[in-house]
Amino acid sequence: MYLSKKTSILLIPLIFAFSCQTQKEKMADITPPVAKKVPKKLEIHGDTRVDDYYWMNDREDSEVIRFLEQENEYYRAMTSHTQKLQDTLFQEMRSRIREDDTSVPYKRNGYWYITRYETGKEYPVYARKKESLDREEEVMFNVNELAEGHEYFRLTGISVSPDNKLAAFGTDTVSRRQYYIRIKNLETGEVYPDKIDNTTGGSVWAKDNKTLFYTKKDPVTLRSDKIYKHVLGTPAEEDELVYHEEDETFSTYVYKSKSQDYIIIGSNSTLTSEYRFLNADDPQGTFKVFSPRTRGLEYSIYHFGSDFYILTNKDGATNFKLMKTSRKTTASEHWEEYLPHREDVLLEDIEIFKDFLVVSERDNGLNKIKVTRWDGSDSYYLPFDNETYVAFPYVNLDYDTQLLRYIYMSMTTPYSIIDFDMSSREKTVLKQEEVLGGKFKEENYRSQRVWATARDGARVAISLVYHKDTPLDGRSPLLQYAYGSYGSTIDPSFSSVRLSLLDRGFIYAIAHVRGGEYLGRPWYEDGKLLNKKNTFTDFIDCSKFLIEKKFTSSEHLYAWGGSAGGLLMGVVVNMAPELYHGVIAAVPFVDVVTTMLDDSIPLTTGEYDEWGNPNDPVYYEYMLSYSPYDNVRAQAYPNMYVSTGLHDSQVQYWEPAKWVAKLREYKTDDNLLFLDTNMDAGHGGASGRFEALKETAKEYAFLLDLEGISQ
């Protein structure tokens, strides 16, 4: 049948509507799984909760596995029409990344160390060159070869012995962050029989080149609680326990000072820290306590010459100060102030060089790097002229150098690795991330920082980035992200992956909510424990601000958060579901009360100073008032995509699984609700650098499909 051009054009909307209706009809015929209900009473403090989905707390139960598989089948069926878009996004994101990329080399103990990627390969190759970059490359680890046959593989904690002959390394093939430590002879390629299980993966060598210190995890809770000493060639069962952290609210770890002179054991809880140290040339010696723990006293130590420098909150220094003491008198009563506390500037870290002290600060949310000569003859800040940038020191292993290596990027500028001459103040860009494909031009994007006013009057910063052609009139889709826990600050960094949203008209926003340290340590303190709700209301108030200022509208506003940020998502959809068209909750921590009452679950006891201990009725009632799972109710919820990993050691898979089951039971809308479980991975998702992009492509396809964008 012949149709005129005019007739064809008139029919296009009808054909499109018919095809959409057909798709909707197809989706309507697909029904989500209905989880069985097995009521379980949970009683404490005279209060009784009934959890109908508690039974999901057993990954060995075939019914649990079947439920997760049914949810996966439902998700795949409901999103089959987006598969082409997912593939397009994946290929697009992958095409921007240089496949044969190489890191900027750094020198340590006579060798230049290099990490490189090969075209078409998922994993890195770790290599080194002796003395000169012109020398022949020695491949230490080709992770692509090691990963063969594994659905998941991660190598971590490469630790080279002082004589450069041996390397200890950790591997995980399950994604529970329980690593085996092995030892490789870098001269012969032989991997020794020594095999140490259930570790953090990291280790440090004593100066004798045969003694290795490492951290073990509790096999049930996965808390890092023991430091052992292993002697090369001896059975791991005979390893000597050198420190046991018995306080269940603390975790422990071991590392070597930058000077290489000391092996240091750290013990930390959210509020308190303690260190022990041992001369690296005396592995049979006894560790000495640096300064005994005092609840609420946090400190970290840096060795330089005959002294230690201490970054601490001692004496009410909320934003931290720098102190100094002799290595012979390390207890806190001997510490002397070196850099004073400032009410409005957070002291984040220091780098020590022979002639210079470099201090990393955060002032009004912005990174600052200050360089000072030890002799006091010069002091200055590195110049940065943006409000949406990130700058911090990188790998600086040498004391005796004029060069400071640091990272710089902004939301529109790819990351750069820069060598800065602290004497001449000249900088050399060693490498800038290359965005392949020929389409990216920095001048095509805009970024800005705006300030929302929270309901209690606090000013909350929002970092924004968007394509220059994106209208700011309320019609554009906007993805709002936040984390807001543990004092972790989400800086306004660059992402080549994010370009797939920006180029399709999305605005991307980071809400710097309380619970992070964007505005200093008080900003964190005001978003934890009995102030935790500030994190959630800050996010909601930022959303209202973005709508009011016509960056977007509720029909086009999307929210995204993962882990503790997934908790944030769970709370805001209970509190203000009408603000969001769609929400992505990745590996979300949503069953707060039940998890925090179960001290057998990994990481629970160490979290008491972050969330509170619900064995105390005050904290129990407060947690219960916001816990996403406990506050699901009969109301309309946004479209939601929820992801998890079966082997997640941080947030157990059953939290999002139970949450989705309960949402299906209570929600009164017909909006989408998906649970997507990676049956092979854990908290970090897929392990390969490109495989991980497939997960991002799923999230982006979910958002774009809701916006009616199909390509």
Side-chain angles (χ1 to χ4, degrees):
M1 181 177 69
Y2 173 77
L3 296 174
S4 68
K5 183 176 181 181
K6 180 179 180 180
T7 305
S8 299
I9 292 173
L10 289 173
L11 280 176
I12 285 174
L14 297 175
I15 294 170
F16 177 74
F18 177 76
S19 65
C20 287
Q21 184 62 34
T22 302
Q23 181 60 43
K24 289 180 179 179
E25 289 174 351
K26 287 180 181 178
M27 293 170 67
D29 291 337
I30 304 170
T31 56
V34 177
K36 71 177 183 179
K37 297 171 67 174
V38 182
K40 181 178 178 62
K41 289 185 178 180
L42 302 170
E43 299 180 77
I44 190 173
H45 306 310
D47 182 55
T48 300
R49 294 177 299 135
V50 177
D51 189 346
D52 291 325
Y53 305 107
Y54 189 89
W55 64 272
M56 293 186 186
N57 182 353
D58 183 2
R59 66 169 51 82
E60 304 301 323
D61 186 337
S62 60
E63 284 195 67
V64 172
I65 299 302
R66 181 59 189 145
F67 170 73
L68 297 176
E69 290 174 340
Q70 287 175 337
E71 283 284 0
N72 282 352
E73 291 165 5
Y74 174 71
Y75 163 69
R76 286 191 291 267
M78 290 289 286
T79 59
S80 60
H81 65 287
T82 70
Q83 189 58 57
K84 183 178 179 181
L85 175 59
Q86 290 180 41
D87 293 342
T88 298
L89 289 167
F90 170 71
Q91 295 299 336
E92 185 178 286
M93 291 184 287
R94 179 171 179 162
S95 70
R96 297 193 193 103
I97 299 171
R98 176 169 291 283
E99 294 201 26
D100 57 345
D101 201 9
T102 301
S103 68
V104 174
Y106 66 87
K107 194 173 186 180
R108 183 168 197 168
N109 196 22
Y111 280 83
W112 288 95
Y113 287 88
I114 303 160
T115 302
R116 60 178 175 80
Y117 288 89
E118 298 176 343
T119 301
K121 301 295 180 66
E122 290 281 350
Y123 297 95
V125 175
Y126 295 103
R128 65 179 185 172
K129 297 182 179 183
K130 189 173 183 178
E131 294 298 344
S132 169
L133 289 172
D134 296 328
R135 298 287 290 272
E136 184 179 354
E137 177 186 83
E138 300 175 27
V139 174
M140 301 163 62
F141 299 97
N142 186 332
V143 185
N144 299 288
E145 295 175 356
L146 296 174
E148 288 181 6
H150 299 287
E151 290 292 332
Y152 178 93
F153 189 88
R154 189 171 297 277
L155 183 145
T156 192
I158 297 173
S159 178
V160 178
S161 60
D163 63 4
N164 292 312
K165 295 180 179 180
L166 306 174
F169 62 101
T171 57
D172 174 17
T173 58
V174 179
S175 190
R176 288 283 287 175
R177 301 187 183 183
Q178 292 173 284
Y179 293 87
Y180 285 99
I181 289 179
R182 306 293 303 273
I183 299 170
K184 182 177 181 178
N185 186 313
L186 296 177
E187 295 182 329
T188 67
E190 177 188 3
V191 176
Y192 293 145
D194 310 55
K195 187 176 184 180
I196 308 167
D197 66 354
N198 194 33
T199 78
T200 60
S203 59
V204 293
W205 292 93
K207 289 186 177 180
D208 65 358
N209 300 297
K210 66 178 183 179
T211 306
L212 195 68
F213 293 85
Y214 63 91
T215 310
K216 273 258 192 183
K217 291 187 170 187
D218 182 286
V220 176
T221 67
L222 302 188
R223 180 172 70 94
S224 304
D225 65 344
K226 295 183 179 73
I227 306 297
Y228 279 88
K229 178 169 61 178
H230 176 75
V231 178
L232 187 65
T234 63
E237 310 85 68
E238 297 179 4
D239 288 357
E240 179 185 345
L241 175 66
V242 297
Y243 178 66
H244 180 196
E245 179 51 72
E246 297 182 351
D247 189 327
E248 293 184 346
T249 66
F250 280 70
S251 59
T252 189
Y253 52 94
V254 62
Y255 67 100
K256 191 177 282 188
S257 62
K258 180 177 177 178
S259 65
Q260 303 295 298
D261 289 338
Y262 291 103
I263 294 167
I264 300 171
I265 293 175
S267 287
N268 291 102
S269 70
T270 304
L271 297 175
T272 310
S273 39
E274 181 181 65
Y275 293 88
R276 289 165 169 77
F277 63 107
L278 174 71
N279 284 325
D281 58 3
D282 183 24
Q284 304 309 315
T286 302
F287 281 86
K288 176 186 175 183
V289 175
F290 189 88
S291 187
R293 67 187 63 177
T294 301
R295 181 168 173 78
L297 176 62
E298 298 174 66
Y299 69 94
S300 52
I301 59 178
Y302 307 79
H303 173 238
F304 180 51
S306 59
D307 299 311
F308 279 99
Y309 288 80
I310 306 104
L311 191 62
T312 180
N313 66 347
K314 188 175 184 289
D315 303 322
T318 308
N319 272 329
F320 289 76
K321 61 183 177 181
L322 189 63
M323 304 188 79
K324 177 183 178 181
T325 193
S326 165
R327 61 183 179 183
K328 296 179 180 179
T329 53
T330 59
S332 61
E333 59 265 27
H334 300 291
W335 300 355
E336 298 177 355
E337 187 172 282
Y338 190 81
L339 293 177
H341 171 254
R342 286 170 288 174
E343 295 288 345
D344 55 349
V345 178
L346 175 65
L347 184 54
E348 292 190 311
D349 202 2
I350 65 169
E351 285 279 358
I352 292 175
F353 298 88
K354 179 183 176 183
D355 296 322
F356 299 91
L357 172 66
V358 176
V359 177
S360 296
E361 304 174 351
R362 188 176 295 273
D363 184 1
N364 196 33
L366 303 181
N367 298 131
K368 291 190 174 182
I369 299 176
K370 185 177 184 179
V371 177
T372 303
R373 281 190 176 272
W374 288 112
D375 62 12
S377 63
D378 198 12
S379 182
Y380 58 89
Y381 286 93
L382 272 65
F384 304 117
D385 57 358
N386 198 315
E387 282 199 329
T388 58
Y389 73 90
V390 185
F392 56 89
Y394 190 45
V395 179
N396 292 282
L397 299 176
D398 292 335
Y399 275 120
D400 193 5
T401 179
Q402 303 289 311
L403 297 177
L404 166 69
R405 183 166 292 181
Y406 71 95
I407 297 287
Y408 176 85
M409 65 182 127
S410 75
M411 296 188 85
T412 59
T413 308
Y415 87 86
S416 299
I417 300 175
I418 298 168
D419 268 356
F420 178 80
D421 189 309
M422 293 180 281
S423 292
S424 68
R425 304 194 190 188
E426 295 178 353
K427 69 177 185 179
T428 303
V429 178
L430 302 177
K431 180 178 181 179
Q432 184 174 62
E433 177 187 0
E434 185 178 3
V435 182
L436 301 182
K439 297 181 180 179
F440 172 75
K441 293 182 179 179
E442 186 175 333
E443 60 268 25
N444 287 338
Y445 301 88
R446 302 285 183 266
S447 67
Q448 61 176 300
R449 184 172 66 161
V450 296
W451 295 83
T453 301
R455 60 196 65 186
D456 65 354
R459 296 180 72 240
V460 185
I462 308 171
S463 296
L464 298 160
V465 64
Y466 46 89
H467 194 280
K468 65 181 178 64
D469 296 333
T470 298
L472 305 180
D473 58 4
R475 296 178 298 159
S476 297
L478 185 150
L479 178 59
Q480 180 181 334
Y481 173 80
Y483 186 72
S485 292
Y486 304 106
S488 178
T489 300
I490 306 301
D491 282 312
S493 57
F494 181 82
S495 168
S496 67
V497 171
R498 189 190 300 146
L499 296 174
S500 291
L501 287 182
L502 304 186
D503 290 346
R504 289 172 172 84
F506 265 77
I507 301 168
Y508 184 82
I510 301 172
H512 302 288
V513 298
R514 279 173 280 190
E517 287 186 344
Y518 188 77
L519 292 180
R521 184 65 176 221
W523 198 245
Y524 169 44
E525 301 290 346
D526 210 19
K528 63 185 287 195
L529 296 174
L530 298 177
N531 295 320
K532 189 63 210 170
K533 289 182 183 179
N534 286 334
T535 302
F536 316 134
T537 54
D538 280 359
F539 190 90
I540 291 169
D541 293 340
C542 285
S543 298
K544 291 178 178 178
F545 171 86
L546 292 168
I547 293 170
E548 176 190 344
K549 296 301 180 182
K550 294 194 178 300
F551 285 100
T552 190
S553 65
S554 58
E555 293 79 19
H556 300 287
L557 177 58
Y558 301 90
W560 171 44
S563 194
L567 162 67
L568 173 57
M569 296 300 100
V571 176
V572 300
V573 297
N574 282 335
M575 291 180 66
E578 72 284 354
L579 289 179
Y580 309 97
H581 189 216
V583 171
I584 296 172
V587 293
F589 172 43
V590 286
D591 191 12
V592 182
V593 178
T594 304
T595 290
M596 293 303 296
L597 282 169
D598 187 350
D599 59 14
S600 70
I601 293 176
L603 307 179
T604 293
T605 55
E607 304 282 286
Y608 288 157
D609 287 333
E610 178 71 26
W611 312 102
N613 184 344
N615 291 294
D616 179 333
V618 173
Y619 286 105
Y620 173 82
E621 291 175 11
Y622 189 77
M623 285 182 189
L624 189 60
S625 71
Y626 68 74
S627 173
Y629 182 66
D630 293 288
N631 287 280
V632 170
R633 61 183 182 272
Q635 65 175 351
Y637 282 87
N639 297 284
M640 296 175 65
Y641 172 85
V642 182
S643 63
T644 187
L646 180 62
H647 301 290
D648 197 327
S649 62
Q650 309 294 106
V651 177
Q652 306 301 314
Y653 72 88
W654 58 77
E655 292 199 38
K658 288 167 52 178
W659 184 45
V660 167
K662 192 170 183 179
L663 283 167
R664 290 207 189 286
E665 178 186 356
Y666 280 89
K667 74 190 196 82
T668 60
D669 57 85
D670 294 323
N671 290 331
L672 301 174
L673 174 59
F674 300 138
L675 174 64
D676 182 17
T677 303
N678 187 325
M679 304 300 282
D680 298 310
H683 200 65
S687 57
R689 61 173 177 153
F690 297 127
E691 281 300 307
L693 294 177
K694 292 181 180 179
E695 298 179 359
T696 304
K698 287 181 179 182
E699 295 173 341
Y700 283 11
F702 172 76
L703 299 173
L704 294 168
D705 187 46
L706 290 174
E707 281 293 308
I709 300 172
S710 60
Q711 58 184 9

